[in-house]
Amino acid sequence: MITIDYQNRKPIYEQIADRVEAMILSGAVKPQTQLPSVRSLAVELSINPNTIQKAYACLEQEGLIYPVKGRGNFVCQLSDMEERRRDACYKMLKNLVEEGKQLGITREEMVDYVRHLYGGG
Amino acid sequence: MITIDYQNRKPIYEQIADRVEAMILSGAVKPQTQLPSVRSLAVELSINPNTIQKAYACLEQEGLIYPVKGRGNFVCQLSDMEERRRDACYKMLKNLVEEGKQLGITREEMVDYVRHLYGGG
Amino acid sequence: MITIDYQNRKPIYEQIADRVEAMILSGAVKPQTQLPSVRSLAVELSINPNTIQKAYACLEQEGLIYPVKGRGNFVCQLSDMEERRRDACYKMLKNLVEEGKQLGITREEMVDYVRHLYGGG
Amino acid sequence: MITIDYQNRKPIYEQIADRVEAMILSGAVKPQTQLPSVRSLAVELSINPNTIQKAYACLEQEGLIYPVKGRGNFVCQLSDMEERRRDACYKMLKNLVEEGKQLGITREEMVDYVRHLYGGG
DNA sequence: GTGGTCTAGACCACT
DNA sequence: GTGGTCTAGACCACC
């Protein structure tokens, strides 16, 4: 479910954190669910456990997951999940639109691109 | 016309290169036009001339500008400008759509966001 | 009467010990009273009996409770209860005041906060 | 200005972050001021640079400081400084009051303690 | 077994 | 020189 792009400028721990966040916000991972342990995920992805640790620390800091010492990390019960999802979406799109405008792309041109790239829906 | 975001993970020289590229591809800067000199732009942006130099080197490498010794840097005559522009746009959008899907955003939901954020047009 | 905060950095056994200590020092639990058994409390709080055991061991070590083999744990007869209570209070407040000073909070400002937060009384 | 308590349960990086935050919120360190470099502070406190790095990362995440690559870390221009200070104060006091109540301390008793411990002011 | 912290050392990008 | 990231290995506390 998680893939790492070593060419990407975004640090690995952030790639992981973003991916897990997306899974939580999209509802693919339910609240109270236990996440894979730091060590097991490190083995699975063939990276250092500290990197996973850092990713999980970010998510905890954002209030998305909580650790239980000696047991593991769990997904928080979120009351504002829908709102967070929308926020994340907005933030992402704002950058996009900004770049698009600089490239001189018209609104409908971009809308068409999005429609096309998104595929069946 | 060019702003630097020191918070941004993208290196400064690349921010500048991207911005100039956008201006060229969008037609805001016409072919054969002379770009600001390395030194003057460095002063204007209050950064090291080496950084501007690196940005211009990137653009030259991409075939977007060409240097004339002792005179400055100029915008190339591009036959495939439209194509390049579309490529840049596609590349940008592909990442976006990928993220959007991971967040579980539907196609029309995203289209609506884009329409709204893009503003009048 | 006892709640566990899994988010808290303080270890669980210490949370329990502190809570029981507070109940004893505040007079909510009288001397000679029998405490709930390790097992029953473990069940009630849904945690490992070892953790309760460790909490009780701490309290015994502090001279607040004493175990009777085969019967259970009991609250000690304390001659210096008032003094202990004041000590615990002092210790707690010292940290607080230190932090408050670092934040540049004035004495009266803090006094007002305390009054307000404490509520009726 | 910064002291580390190795006995403290609070991790070192957090002790540092809290201390710097307090200095910023109390106005002891003005906006736009450059903080000591990661390496220099590490030497001064005789700890690993990574620990300082982590502390600074926390502060950046909170929006209190911002890094400039190759130059250093700087204090943000905060519009809501007063509000943040009050929040930090409230948060700190809430825990205190909670503990105090459990110990059976009356409101005026606690107010008196605070007044006394706070010293001249 | 779990997460959390710290250290040490290396590498990279930017100035 | 600066900050940022990653790895490796160790230790601790908790369950």
Side-chain angles (χ1 to χ4, degrees):
Chain A
M1 302 282 286
I2 298 178
T3 57
I4 297 176
D5 174 7
Y6 290 98
Q7 317 303 335
N8 196 328
R9 179 134 44 208
K10 194 186 287 180
I12 295 177
Y13 77 90
E14 209 167 314
Q15 292 185 38
I16 297 169
D18 284 357
R19 192 67 194 85
V20 174
E21 177 177 356
M23 289 196 290
I24 293 174
L25 293 187
S26 69
V29 182
K30 302 292 178 201
Q32 312 304 350
T33 307
Q34 182 167 5
L35 294 173
S37 82
V38 167
R39 287 163 166 85
S40 67
L41 193 51
V43 169
E44 189 186 325
L45 300 178
S46 305
I47 61 177
N48 191 297
N50 282 354
T51 306
I52 309 288
Q53 176 66 22
K54 195 166 183 181
Y56 279 7
C58 288
L59 294 169
E60 181 193 353
Q61 218 283 338
E62 288 186 63
L64 285 168
I65 71 176
Y66 64 92
V68 178
K69 275 178 284 190
R71 298 240 343 262
N73 284 278
F74 298 82
V75 177
C76 287
Q77 187 70 47
L78 295 173
S79 54
D80 56 353
M81 206 155 77
E82 185 55 30
E83 190 186 341
R84 281 168 182 260
R85 192 175 73 101
R86 208 161 41 227
D87 280 0
C89 178
Y90 243 84
K91 195 176 158 194
M92 179 182 71
L93 280 172
K94 235 182 58 188
N95 295 327
L96 163 85
V97 166
E98 198 53 44
E99 290 188 49
K101 278 183 176 170
Q102 290 195 351
L103 275 173
I105 299 169
T106 68
R107 190 170 75 162
E108 288 311 311
E109 196 172 11
M110 184 168 291
V111 164
D112 283 349
Y113 276 140
V114 171
R115 265 229 183 72
H116 176 247
L117 280 166
Y118 222 89
Chain B
M1 301 282 287
I2 298 178
T3 58
I4 297 177
D5 175 5
Y6 289 100
Q7 321 266 2
N8 197 324
R9 179 140 40 209
K10 196 187 286 183
I12 295 177
Y13 76 89
E14 208 168 314
Q15 290 185 40
I16 296 170
D18 283 357
R19 192 68 193 86
V20 174
E21 177 178 354
M23 289 195 291
I24 293 174
L25 294 186
S26 70
V29 181
K30 301 294 179 198
Q32 312 304 350
T33 308
Q34 180 169 7
L35 293 172
S37 80
V38 167
R39 284 174 188 161
S40 67
L41 193 51
V43 169
E44 189 187 324
L45 299 177
S46 306
I47 60 177
N48 193 304
N50 288 340
T51 307
I52 310 290
Q53 184 57 47
K54 196 165 182 179
Y56 279 7
C58 288
L59 293 168
E60 183 191 350
Q61 213 278 338
E62 287 187 66
L64 284 166
I65 69 176
Y66 62 94
V68 178
K69 271 185 279 191
R71 298 237 344 262
N73 287 276
F74 298 82
V75 177
C76 289
Q77 186 68 47
L78 295 173
S79 55
D80 56 353
M81 206 155 78
E82 185 54 30
E83 189 186 341
R84 280 168 182 262
R85 190 174 74 100
R86 207 159 44 223
D87 280 359
C89 179
Y90 246 83
K91 194 176 157 194
M92 180 183 69
L93 279 172
K94 232 182 58 186
N95 294 328
L96 162 85
V97 166
E98 197 53 43
E99 290 189 50
K101 279 183 178 172
Q102 290 194 351
L103 274 173
I105 299 168
T106 68
R107 191 171 72 162
E108 287 312 309
E109 197 173 10
M110 184 168 290
V111 164
D112 283 349
Y113 275 141
V114 171
R115 264 227 184 72
H116 177 248
L117 280 166
Y118 222 89
Chain C
M1 301 284 286
I2 298 178
T3 57
I4 296 176
D5 176 6
Y6 289 99
Q7 321 266 358
N8 197 326
R9 180 138 39 210
K10 195 186 289 182
I12 294 176
Y13 77 89
E14 208 168 314
Q15 291 185 40
I16 296 169
D18 283 358
R19 193 66 194 86
V20 173
E21 177 179 355
M23 289 195 292
I24 293 174
L25 294 186
S26 69
V29 181
K30 302 294 179 199
Q32 312 306 349
T33 308
Q34 180 169 6
L35 295 173
S37 79
V38 167
R39 286 174 188 162
S40 67
L41 193 50
V43 169
E44 189 185 324
L45 300 177
S46 306
I47 61 177
N48 192 305
N50 288 340
T51 308
I52 309 289
Q53 185 56 47
K54 195 165 182 180
Y56 279 6
C58 287
L59 293 168
E60 182 190 351
Q61 212 278 336
E62 287 187 66
L64 285 166
I65 69 175
Y66 62 94
V68 177
K69 270 185 279 190
R71 297 235 348 260
N73 287 277
F74 297 82
V75 178
C76 289
Q77 186 68 47
L78 294 172
S79 55
D80 56 353
M81 205 155 76
E82 185 54 30
E83 189 185 342
R84 280 167 182 262
R85 191 175 73 100
R86 206 157 47 225
D87 280 0
C89 179
Y90 245 82
K91 193 175 157 195
M92 178 182 70
L93 279 171
K94 233 183 58 188
N95 293 329
L96 163 85
V97 166
E98 197 53 44
E99 289 190 49
K101 278 183 176 171
Q102 290 195 351
L103 274 174
I105 299 168
T106 69
R107 190 171 73 161
E108 288 311 312
E109 195 172 10
M110 185 168 291
V111 165
D112 283 350
Y113 275 139
V114 171
R115 264 228 184 72
H116 177 249
L117 279 167
Y118 222 89
Chain D
M1 302 282 286
I2 298 178
T3 58
I4 297 177
D5 175 6
Y6 291 97
Q7 317 305 334
N8 197 327
R9 180 136 41 209
K10 196 187 287 182
I12 296 178
Y13 78 90
E14 209 167 313
Q15 291 185 40
I16 297 170
D18 284 356
R19 191 68 195 85
V20 174
E21 177 177 355
M23 289 196 289
I24 293 174
L25 293 186
S26 70
V29 181
K30 302 292 179 200
Q32 312 304 349
T33 306
Q34 181 168 5
L35 295 172
S37 82
V38 167
R39 287 161 168 84
S40 67
L41 193 52
V43 169
E44 189 186 322
L45 299 178
S46 304
I47 60 177
N48 190 296
N50 284 352
T51 306
I52 310 289
Q53 176 66 22
K54 193 165 183 182
Y56 279 7
C58 287
L59 294 169
E60 181 192 354
Q61 217 284 337
E62 287 187 63
L64 285 167
I65 71 175
Y66 63 93
V68 178
K69 276 177 284 192
R71 299 241 341 263
N73 285 278
F74 298 82
V75 177
C76 287
Q77 188 70 47
L78 295 174
S79 55
D80 56 351
M81 205 153 77
E82 185 55 31
E83 189 187 341
R84 281 166 182 263
R85 192 175 72 100
R86 206 159 43 223
D87 280 0
C89 178
Y90 244 83
K91 195 176 158 192
M92 180 182 68
L93 280 171
K94 233 182 58 186
N95 294 328
L96 163 84
V97 166
E98 198 52 44
E99 289 188 49
K101 279 183 176 172
Q102 290 196 350
L103 274 173
I105 300 169
T106 69
R107 189 170 76 162
E108 287 312 312
E109 196 173 10
M110 184 169 290
V111 165
D112 282 351
Y113 275 140
V114 171
R115 264 228 183 72
H116 176 247
L117 280 167
Y118 222 90

